[in-house]
Amino acid sequence: MDGNLPRRRPSVWIDSPHCTKDRIRGSKGRRGLMVQAKKIVLYVIFVFVAYTIIASPERAAELVQVGFEGVSSAAQSVGDFMSELVK
């Protein structure tokens, strides 16, 4: 009788150090929830930015200009610091 039954493979992979509980549970683990939360937050930010650009494009342009001025100022400061460091 045992010869007619299919052989079952042992479930050794569960005890493997390469297999974590999140991988066994799939997307239902903590990591899966964090990925879903991250997607939702990024979607909300994208919708907010799109709404801001559509609702008041002048104000959005001002904010972008201020952002670029800030990055430019920071780069200039780092350049000045490096120049003084070399001297």
Side-chain angles (χ1 to χ4, degrees), residues 52-65:
T52 303
I53 291 171
I54 293 169
S56 59
E58 296 87 14
R59 178 71 177 140
E62 289 175 10
L63 292 174
V64 169
Q65 184 178 4

Side-chain angles (χ1 to χ4, degrees), residues 39-56:
K39 286 180 184 178
I40 292 170
V41 168
L42 288 175
Y43 180 73
V44 168
I45 289 172
F46 176 76
V47 169
F48 176 73
V49 168
Y51 172 76
T52 303
I53 291 171
I54 293 169
S56 59

